[in-house]
Amino acid sequence: MLGSVPPFVLFFVGAVVVAFTKGALRKSILLSVPLLGLVNLFITAGADVGAPSAIGESVKHVYLTLELLGYELQIYRADKLSLLFGYLFHIAAFLGFIYALHLGDGIPDGSVANEVGEEDVIGNSSAGMQHVSAMLYAGSALGAVFAGDFITLFVFWELLAITSAFLVWARNSDQSYETGFRYLIIHVVSGVLLLSGAMMLAHQTGSIEFGHVAGELHGDEGGGLAAAGLPALLLLIAFGIKAGFPLAHNWITEAYPASTPTGTVFLSAFTTKVAVYALARSFGGLDELIWIGTAMTFFPIFYAVLENDLRRVLGYSMVNQIGFMVAGIGIGSALAMNGAVAHAFADVIFKGLLFMSMGAVMTMTGRTKGTDLGGLYKTMPLTATLCIVGAAAISAFPLFSAFVTKSMIMVAAIEEHHYIVWLFMLFASAGVLEHAGIKIPFFAFFAHDSGIRTKEPPKNMLTAMTLGAVLCVLIGVFPGALYSLLPFEMDYHPYDTRHVLTQLQLLCFGALGFITLMKTGVYPDEKRAVHVDAEVLYRKLGPLVVKSVGELVGRADHAVRSRMMGLLGFALAGLGRTHGQVGPLARSWPSGSMVFWVSLSLAVYLLFYLFF
Amino acid sequence: MSEHGHHQVKSPVGWTDRPAKVKRLFMLFYVICAALFLSEFVLMGTENLHPHPLEERMGFFVYPVYGFISFWFLVLLARPMRRLLIRSEDYYEGGGAYDPSGDPGHVSTHSQGSDDRMSHPGIGEAGSEVTDAR
């Protein structure tokens, strides 16, 4: 039985059960569903699965199919690429549910969150809704990565959007309400583009298989996006919106800080990584992705320096990290593709850990802004330590996870002679150290003592963070285990003297740069402000355009109407003159005059007849 | 720290409040940096599996120089960017330009309106916090 159950089914059933249970029973279900799913997946993996079709031989297993309108839907298809993300999402769900286990149990001991004036920062009142939607959300992510065709992918793509929007709304504030709607609209648009692209593709190729699209259309010649045509472009935009491509990245920086402390942990794990998976499957080796990815690593680090809300900083950091993955997918060699998906794996865990540590700070203090925080290491030393582990992992210090994953992408860039890209990435690596490695822990736990005195977060939160931190170190110290799960064959060893030393040089001298910037006072201070980003297009400019166009149309409409009314009035007045009560044309004439005119015209006719 | 002073039941003194300890930590870091700088001479003898044109051109000390410069470049570009892009916190709810006088910034440690020359006592002159705390 187990082993052939589509992974999403367990989660969807689990969500229904969670909805109708309470207390300890609900908690045990929350934890057992991801574990059961993981067993299910291990049995699946026991079968012989191989690399996806993009590069090399494809050994895949299709466990469940459906017929729909003459197309075969592959509900559950597994190969090495989807299995890797499958494991990852189970681990993320497990950690997330441990982290959220205290929800509904009231305000944790020592929390001063109620000081900030927001009624329910922690999200206790929406505990049930959060658990159910998180369970459905994780299930949808699994459904998407194990989908074998675009129609199935589309269904789970939209489910991802709907289920996760509830995690934004769970905050129960006006801001989260509006943000949730914007989030939903953006993701539904992405789904519609996905479906349009898939339908056009099916029309052209006759297949709805969720496979390598770029190669499918230009015969692996590497003709780029222009050669791949409109369907591929639509699919790329659909994936790109969810992956946070430049200009489409603001849903990440908006939604993550708007959700509850626990909700954001789930949000950060699934949606963007499903998009990375979809890009890896359909657009591996697409040249345009190299530059899109490089841009994504580059511009968010500037915003991250300036941003005050530390969870929004992590949102920008998310865009930056996905940039590395997208660039890796664009490079497209076996090493680069492996690097991209391995980095996605590591990122979910270290970014999850960082979001968890900021969520713990938010749970205990009600605040996430750099201007409000500082000095928390005195009362939350464990949280601070675990945050620093996450910071070290994302900064790619040797013995931590990103060191063994990001470097694969960097080396692949050099091997494929993308030197400029490599320089940008190296700069972005220093940027990561700045905003995620130093800024996050420094401004939350050190810097100026804010005077906030609280306690460590609940035990379940500490447990989840500890497990995340252990995984960050385990991946970094024993990369072989993760490497063996990667989809493509490669020969790569991260630990050699040169790599370790040069990386340490880069990071430590970067940190030295930070110290000099601080000591000279050049480093920009935290400010209670926003910095205009692409979201201004739909949050400010869009409404402004709609409003002013509306006003313009209204004014034109008014002008045309009043002019027409004037004309109409004029015409009516004219008619009134001629046909009014005293108008000459409206007078009733006696029948005698009619007889006179008729006989006159007859007489004229007679005269004509007689003389001509 | 007047803003949060009321829940300051006890005022634990952490290691950042002891200038000697902070100084020792910084010294340790500088020593590590120096060692890493010198490690460049070790690297000269090792084989570079993935050489980059930049490394070939510059020869040595590529990474420490690049790391240090990156941070300065990042911040020096972010500052004019802030001047251009900063808006009030309620900008999207109808607010407008950023008003520095309405921003208390970090509580008490900074004087207002001098953000261009602001120093960060938390890292540089550690210990100043103790006197500010009450």
Side-chain angles (χ1 to χ4, degrees):
Chain A
M1 170 67 190
L2 273 181
S4 56
V5 183
F8 74 89
V9 172
L10 288 170
F11 281 79
F12 283 11
V13 172
V16 175
V17 181
V18 165
F20 292 103
T21 48
K22 266 192 177 136
L25 182 62
R26 182 164 81 181
K27 289 181 182 177
S28 60
I29 292 165
L30 287 175
L31 297 184
S32 52
V33 167
L35 289 179
L36 197 67
L38 212 51
V39 173
N40 175 44
L41 216 54
F42 276 127
I43 299 174
T44 307
D48 184 28
V49 295
S53 55
I55 302 172
E57 282 297 298
S58 163
V59 185
K60 64 188 178 214
H61 286 261
V62 180
Y63 295 94
L64 182 64
T65 58
L66 274 178
E67 279 282 313
L68 181 79
L69 303 171
Y71 287 109
E72 186 195 67
L73 302 188
Q74 301 182 347
I75 310 291
Y76 184 17
R77 176 190 70 177
D79 59 17
K80 283 192 94 169
L81 183 59
S82 49
L83 274 173
L84 179 75
F85 280 85
Y87 294 135
L88 175 62
F89 288 167
H90 280 89
I91 294 169
F94 184 60
L95 293 182
F97 282 124
I98 296 177
Y99 185 75
L101 222 50
H102 65 285
L103 277 184
D105 294 348
I107 296 169
D109 178 38
S111 170
V112 293
N114 54 352
E115 279 177 2
V116 294
E118 189 178 326
E119 210 168 285
D120 186 17
V121 179
I122 298 158
N124 274 316
S125 60
S126 56
M129 184 176 100
Q130 286 193 65
H131 286 322
V132 172
S133 51
M135 195 63 101
L136 289 172
Y137 180 37
S140 310
L142 286 165
V145 296
F146 287 107
D149 65 274
F150 279 119
I151 307 292
T152 311
L153 178 69
F154 164 74
V155 172
F156 287 112
W157 200 261
E158 294 291 30
L159 280 175
L160 271 173
I162 297 162
T163 51
S164 56
F166 283 95
L167 290 174
V168 183
W169 287 323
R171 178 83 173 267
N172 273 332
S173 70
D174 289 346
Q175 196 220 344
S176 77
Y177 184 71
E178 289 173 15
T179 306
F181 266 108
R182 278 195 293 273
Y183 173 89
L184 188 60
I185 290 169
I186 290 169
H187 284 276
V188 167
V189 166
S190 157
V192 171
L193 290 173
L194 169 62
L195 188 63
S196 322
M199 278 160 60
M200 289 169 72
L201 195 67
H203 184 68
Q204 283 183 15
T205 64
S207 161
I208 55 166
E209 199 199 329
F210 178 22
H212 197 236
V213 172
E216 189 83 17
L217 290 174
H218 58 69
D220 279 332
E221 284 300 307
L225 197 58
L230 186 60
L233 184 66
L234 289 176
L235 288 173
L236 185 66
I237 296 173
F239 296 167
I241 290 174
K242 264 205 180 13
F245 277 12
L247 299 181
H249 64 282
N250 276 126
W251 68 263
I252 295 175
T253 56
E254 260 205 275
Y256 290 6
S259 178
T260 59
T262 47
T264 307
V265 173
F266 285 101
L267 288 177
S268 74
F270 299 116
T271 303
T272 51
K273 300 310 173 299
V274 169
V276 167
Y277 164 82
L279 286 170
R281 185 168 288 285
S282 294
F283 292 101
L286 184 71
D287 288 341
E288 282 82 352
L289 288 181
I290 301 175
W291 287 105
I292 294 174
T294 306
M296 287 170 75
T297 62
F298 186 71
F299 77 89
I301 56 182
F302 294 96
Y303 280 99
V305 172
L306 302 175
E307 182 56 45
N308 189 15
D309 187 328
L310 296 182
R311 292 203 304 171
R312 201 170 147 98
V313 171
L314 287 177
Y316 279 114
S317 173
M318 177 69 101
V319 180
N320 161 278
Q321 293 297 306
I322 296 166
F324 282 100
M325 299 166 212
V326 171
I329 293 167
I331 293 168
S333 66
L335 182 62
M337 294 287 279
N338 275 350
V341 294
H343 197 48
F345 194 101
D347 178 78
V348 166
I349 294 164
F350 60 62
K351 193 59 64 57
L353 175 56
L354 287 169
F355 270 117
M356 284 192 228
S357 65
M358 286 305 108
V361 166
M362 191 178 166
T363 300
M364 300 313 289
T365 69
R367 306 160 174 93
T368 56
K369 289 186 175 155
T371 43
D372 300 335
L373 294 170
L376 289 178
Y377 81 95
K378 292 176 183 172
T379 46
M380 303 175 81
L382 284 175
T383 311
T385 311
L386 293 165
C387 178
I388 290 171
V389 172
I394 194 174
S395 311
F397 272 96
L399 302 181
F400 292 91
S401 53
F403 180 75
V404 303
T405 56
K406 193 166 70 181
S407 55
M408 293 157 78
I409 304 172
M410 309 272 288
V411 167
I414 291 186
E415 280 183 355
E416 304 296 318
H417 308 293
H418 297 292
Y419 296 125
I420 306 288
V421 170
W422 182 84
L423 281 177
F424 271 102
M425 281 186 185
L426 202 61
F427 171 66
S429 300
V432 175
L433 172 71
E434 193 285 319
H435 66 251
I438 297 178
K439 177 171 175 170
I440 294 282
F442 181 71
F443 281 99
F445 297 106
F446 303 97
H448 319 82
D449 192 337
S450 58
I452 302 171
R453 298 291 176 255
T454 176
K455 284 185 176 173
E456 292 284 4
K459 283 206 172 60
N460 62 305
M461 285 183 143
L462 285 174
T463 309
M465 287 191 277
T466 309
L467 286 175
V470 167
L471 276 173
C472 285
V473 176
L474 277 183
I475 293 171
V477 176
F478 305 107
L482 177 60
Y483 287 177
S484 69
L485 294 175
L486 296 179
F488 305 113
E489 289 293 321
M490 61 163 192
D491 180 33
Y492 178 70
H493 306 282
Y495 285 105
D496 63 63
T497 319
R498 172 167 283 274
H499 184 203
V500 171
L501 281 180
T502 51
Q503 181 70 8
L504 281 174
Q505 285 177 336
L506 181 82
L507 294 176
C508 287
F509 278 83
L512 198 64
F514 182 80
I515 293 172
T516 52
L517 283 163
M518 280 296 207
K519 292 214 171 194
T520 50
V522 175
Y523 192 84
D525 204 32
E526 300 302 285
K527 294 217 181 293
R528 292 172 208 274
V530 298
H531 297 88
V532 177
D533 198 353
E535 67 196 305
V536 77
L537 292 175
Y538 59 85
R539 290 186 70 179
K540 201 90 176 176
L541 214 62
L544 194 74
V545 167
V546 170
K547 198 170 157 244
S548 45
V549 167
E551 263 173 23
L552 204 71
V553 169
R555 221 175 297 154
D557 176 73
H558 180 74
V560 169
R561 270 166 198 269
S562 53
R563 182 112 183 99
M564 287 307 288
M565 287 303 278
L567 277 174
L568 207 61
F570 181 73
L572 279 174
L575 277 175
R577 267 195 303 282
T578 51
H579 290 74
Q581 277 179 336
V582 291
L585 296 177
R587 247 176 261 146
S588 55
W589 295 336
S591 49
S593 68
M594 181 68 86
V595 173
F596 166 76
W597 286 109
V598 168
S599 29
L600 185 70
S601 58
L602 280 175
V604 171
Y605 179 68
L606 190 67
L607 287 174
F608 264 94
Y609 183 73
L610 288 177
F611 296 105
F612 300 101
Chain B
M1 309 294 146
S2 51
E3 189 176 286
H4 305 297
H6 56 283
H7 51 74
Q8 210 168 355
V9 267
K10 55 187 170 129
S11 178
V13 179
W15 56 264
T16 50
D17 300 326
R18 300 200 175 92
K21 275 201 167 182
V22 176
K23 206 166 186 178
R24 219 176 302 156
L25 199 74
F26 272 95
M27 285 312 293
L28 180 68
F29 181 71
Y30 296 144
V31 168
I32 290 172
C33 282
L36 282 169
F37 198 73
L38 294 177
S39 73
E40 192 68 33
F41 297 106
V42 179
L43 287 179
M44 284 176 194
T46 62
E47 186 199 1
N48 190 353
L49 288 175
H50 304 284
H52 183 277
L54 184 75
E55 290 178 41
E56 282 164 8
R57 187 131 341 141
M58 269 183 68
F60 312 107
F61 304 111
V62 174
Y63 290 87
V65 170
Y66 200 87
F68 190 84
I69 291 179
S70 289
F71 264 63
W72 274 85
F73 175 75
L74 178 60
V75 166
L76 290 181
L77 211 64
R79 289 173 65 101
M81 196 177 124
R82 160 170 277 175
R83 222 163 292 143
L84 197 69
L85 297 177
I86 197 164
R87 298 288 185 278
S88 73
E89 239 178 358
D90 60 347
Y91 176 61
Y92 292 112
E93 287 80 47
Y98 170 72
D99 174 20
S101 63
D103 181 2
H106 270 296
V107 203
S108 82
T109 46
H110 290 155
S111 53
Q112 294 297 330
S114 61
D115 81 285
D116 279 354
R117 292 169 286 106
M118 230 172 240
S119 66
H120 289 253
I123 189 162
E125 308 92 54
S128 60
E129 293 294 291
V130 181
T131 44
D132 283 339
R134 279 281 156 163

